[in-house]
Every structure is written in C-alpha cells, then in structure tokens.
C-alpha cells in the first residue's frame, strides 16, 4: 500500500470535524459497505458524519445497520469530502458537480480518474471496503460489529463470495479479522449473495430464454417488459450477469438492461487475461478488467449491435485459444 498516502488520509480524517461521505450511483454492496463502514467508524470516533447518495438507498440494503443514515441531500456544512468506490465524478451524480473539491478519493477501479486532492487508488484491492478495513485502525478508528458487517459486505459482494480471480490470502485473513470483530458472514452471505427475490429469478427466466452465444461471447437482454411482467422492482439485472459468467466456455459475458428512462445499462464480465474495462470506457463507463459497466443513451437495438461488435472484436483480438 502507498504508506505516505495512507498517513495523509489518517491526518485528514483526524483533523476534520464534519465529514461528508459519498459513493457511486446504483450502489452495489461495496459502495454501501465502504460508505457505511467508514461512516459508522468515524461517527463512533466522535466525528460528525453525513453519508449521501444521489439516488438513495436501494431496498436490498435497508437491513444493514447504519444504512438508514444515508441521505439523498447534503444538509449543512462539512470540512472534508470523501468519495468511496467511485471511479469518476459523474458517478457521484449531482454531488460530483455540486462539490468542486473532493478531498479524498478511496477506490480500487483501474479506470479511476484521480479527481480528488488525495487519491488512494489500490487496484489490487478486491474492494474499496478492503482498503478501508485494512487502514481503519491505522487512521485511529475502531472496528465495531456494525462496522465489521458493513466492510465484510463490501468484500463479500465484490469478490462474489471470495471467488473472483483477484482473491488473495490476505483478504481471507482480513475477513477473519472482521468476523472476530463480530461480522456475521453466513447472514451477509445469504442475504446479499445467495438469496434472491422470487421476482428476480422469474425475470432471469426471460433473460435466459433469449440467451445467445458466438464463440466465447455470451449475452442476453432484459427489457422493461421482462421487469414488469416478473414484478421485479429494481432497475438492475438482479445479478443475471453472474449466471452468464458461470457458463463454462464464456470468456466474455454481456447483459443489456433496458431502463425506464430510455437508457440501456450494459454489464461485462471477462475471464482472466481479458480486459473489458476498456470496452466499457469506450462506451462512457468504466470498471475493472474482469467486470465493467456502462450506461448508454440511444436505441436499444443500435446500442446492442455496436456493443456486441466492439466486444466481439476485442475478444477475437485477445483470446488465447478457442
Ligand atoms: P456492474 O456491471 O454494474 O456490476 O459493474 C461492474 C463494474 O463496473 C463495477 O465495479 C462498477 O463500479 C463499474 N461500473 C459499472 N457501471 C459503470 C459506469 N457507468 N461508469 C464507471 N464504472 C462503472
Ligand atoms: Mn461499486
Ligand atoms: Mn468496488
């Protein structure tokens, strides 16, 4: 880890009184986990803390202790602004523009644009929550049970239950430490990784019914109609992308999710050795080599063809054997 940066972050957190924490739109478990984990630790350390999210807390995280403190609006003043798990300003929603100077940017995305005064970008980290958990005590704050649960949630979800290719032995040791601090691994595992709402699984059925493949590329589409006929309340793919990447010979999998606002959300997943983050960046998104996403405007059919062509060309140019 970048020791000097870590130290400067500790000093910044210690000397601030009112700290604003924000994370990315459409927050995943790591966004919420790193936000709530750091937020609660700072609160328990006597700081005044605001946790904000432009598009609010998704229903699935309502039961996480501390998440109820997340607000949609900034209330009052703050003297330190911290962005977590967020690769660029636009992903902070309106806060990305409203706040000109971000003080701290703590993240693990290779596509991070280093938009803050101090940028701690650890691309080897499996989750932003890992970076927070590793450094929290060095920064002078403690890991209570609620903090441990939030940070474990972040690590668990970004590694899909410790099974992504960036897993390191240290991550398991850190998870054990979070369990020692009271983190409830089996409960978090069930709630955030394994269990799905009935409606989600029903929606998968629509996606699976149009599953396609071309050599090592596997893809499908979820439409607004699929969502409403299944009664699925979210705008996401209900983790359908993980089903596709479980297909044996899928080297790259792609899910297109039509959005109620007319946009199209695209998710990519790749096996080690391929890098889908650059394809996502080409379409205005970002992410990691193995997992990336973008939100596109335009006609579903046209975007679909453009994305598939670009992705297929990338696969053809980079695949080792087929
Ligand atoms: P997803 O497919 O939404 O699960 O995202 C996979 C990875 O790509 C996550 O690490 C996201 O943070 C990142 N990502 C998704 N959408 C975007 C976007 N519009 N811009 C930048 N990064 C994104
Ligand atoms: Mn995230
Ligand atoms: Mn993350």
């Amino acid at each position: 880890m970048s020791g000097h940066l870590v130290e400067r972050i500790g000093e910044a957190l210690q000397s601030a009184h009112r700290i604003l924490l924000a994370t990315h739109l459409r927050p995943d478990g790591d966004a919420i986990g790193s936000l709530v984990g750091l937020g609660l630790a700072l609160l328990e350390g006597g700081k005044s803390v605001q946790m904000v999210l432009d598009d609010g807390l998704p229903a699935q995280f309502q039961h996480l202790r501390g998440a109820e403190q997340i607000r949609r609006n900034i209330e009052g003043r703050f003297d330190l602004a911290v962005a977590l798990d967020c690769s660029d300003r636009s992903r902070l929603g309106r806060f990305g523009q409203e706040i000109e100077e971000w003080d701290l940017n703590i993240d693990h995305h290779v596509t991070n644009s280093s938009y803050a005064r101090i940028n701690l970008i650890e691309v080897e980290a499996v989750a932003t929550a890992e970076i927070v958990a590793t450094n929290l005590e060095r920064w002078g704050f403690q890991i209570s049970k609620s903090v441990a649960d939030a940070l474990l949630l972040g690590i668990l979800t970004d590694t899909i239950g410790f099974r992504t290719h960036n897993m390191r032995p240290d991550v398991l040791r850190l998870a054990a430490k979070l369990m020692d601090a009271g983190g409830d691994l089996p409960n978090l595992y069930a709630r955030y990784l394994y269990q799905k709402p009935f409606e989600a699984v029903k929606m998968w059925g629509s996606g699976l019914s149009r599953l396609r493949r071309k050599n090592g590329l596997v893809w499908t589409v979820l439409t607004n109609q699929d969502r409403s006929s299944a009664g699925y309340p979210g705008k996401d793919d209900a983790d359908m992308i993980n089903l596709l990447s479980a297909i044996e010979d899928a080297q790259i999998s792609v899910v297109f999710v039509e959005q109620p606002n007319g946009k199209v959300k695209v998710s990519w997943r790749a096996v080690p050795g391929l890098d889908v983050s650059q394809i996502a960046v080409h379409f205005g998104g970002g992410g990691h080599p193995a997992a990336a996403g973008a939100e596109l405007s335009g006609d579903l059919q046209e975007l679909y063809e453009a994305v598939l062509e670009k992705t297929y060309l990338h696969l053809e140019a980079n695949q080792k054997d087929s």
Side-chain angles (χ1 to χ4, degrees):
M1 285 241 182
S2 345
H4 180 57
L5 278 181
V6 167
E7 220 169 88
R8 282 175 64 203
I9 290 178
E11 285 160 13
L13 291 171
Q14 282 299 340
S15 58
H17 299 288
R18 292 174 304 246
I19 303 174
L20 179 95
L21 302 175
T23 189
H24 65 79
L25 296 174
R26 300 170 171 283
D28 49 26
D30 187 31
I32 298 296
S34 55
L35 180 71
V36 170
L38 182 58
L40 288 182
L42 295 172
L43 267 174
E44 289 161 11
K47 302 293 178 183
S48 161
V49 175
Q50 295 192 52
M51 305 179 215
V52 294
L53 233 182
D54 190 4
D55 52 359
L57 182 71
Q60 84 227 62
F61 298 114
Q62 267 165 10
H63 298 283
L64 182 76
R65 196 143 7 110
E68 73 287 348
Q69 304 202 27
I70 296 174
R71 300 280 176 269
R72 278 174 175 250
N73 296 300
I74 298 174
E75 285 155 20
R77 292 152 51 80
F78 54 89
D79 45 37
L80 193 80
V82 185
L84 293 152
D85 197 45
C86 188
S87 55
D88 57 84
R89 274 173 181 271
S90 68
R91 295 210 85 210
L92 289 160
R94 67 187 200 285
F95 306 130
Q97 293 145 8
E98 277 174 20
I99 299 173
E100 270 181 32
E101 185 164 276
W102 286 84
D103 297 290
L104 311 182
N105 168 13
I106 304 174
D107 188 26
H108 66 132
H109 289 93
V110 66
T111 55
N112 193 292
S113 62
S114 296
Y115 49 87
R117 196 161 56 78
I118 303 176
N119 303 284
L120 181 61
I121 317 301
E122 298 280 355
V123 300
E124 304 288 307
V126 296
T128 300
E130 181 198 338
I131 307 173
V132 173
T134 302
N135 294 297
L136 207 44
E137 288 166 325
R138 218 173 296 165
W139 290 335
F141 300 93
Q142 282 166 12
I143 303 180
S144 65
K145 170 177 165 43
S146 304
V147 171
D149 272 333
L151 297 175
L152 200 47
L153 162 67
I155 293 171
L156 206 52
T157 51
D158 262 19
T159 60
I160 327 175
F162 306 122
R163 69 175 170 82
T164 49
H165 287 273
N166 55 358
M167 268 300 293
R168 312 177 329 273
D170 270 350
V171 181
L172 291 174
R173 282 187 275 268
L174 186 63
K177 181 176 165 179
L178 294 173
M179 288 181 79
D180 280 337
D184 188 348
L185 179 81
N187 184 40
L188 292 165
Y189 207 111
R191 195 186 278 280
Y192 297 105
L193 281 172
Y194 185 65
Q195 295 174 337
K196 299 290 170 205
F198 178 83
E199 293 77 12
V201 180
K202 213 164 163 224
M203 182 172 78
W204 288 351
S206 304
L208 288 175
S209 72
R210 2 185 142 84
L211 186 63
R212 300 282 308 275
R213 95 169 136 185
K214 184 174 174 189
N215 297 329
L217 178 63
V218 169
W219 72 94
T220 195
V221 180
L222 289 168
T223 64
N224 286 326
Q225 172 66 37
D226 296 338
R227 185 181 305 111
S228 59
S229 59
Y232 183 70
K235 289 179 283 183
D236 56 292
D237 71 341
D239 292 332
M240 170 119 221
I241 190 72
N242 288 334
L243 279 188
L244 267 56
S245 41
I247 296 169
E248 268 172 7
D249 46 6
Q251 297 194 37
I252 298 182
S253 33
V254 185
V255 172
F256 297 83
V257 189
E258 192 185 8
Q259 299 291 301
N261 64 4
K263 294 191 173 183
V264 179
K265 169 69 208 294
V266 185
S267 289
W268 288 264
R269 296 293 182 272
V271 296
L274 294 170
D275 179 358
V276 284
S277 70
Q278 293 315 315
I279 311 175
V281 167
H282 175 86
F283 289 103
H288 313 278
E295 199 173 33
L296 286 72
S297 299
D299 175 63
L300 176 61
Q301 191 60 34
E302 281 173 22
L303 295 175
Y304 173 82
E305 282 163 18
V307 167
L308 285 177
E309 188 185 337
K310 181 95 188 155
T311 307
Y312 190 73
L313 288 176
H314 179 87
L315 178 59
E316 267 197 324
N318 294 284
Q319 98 196 125
K320 275 153 268 144
D321 47 85
S322 54

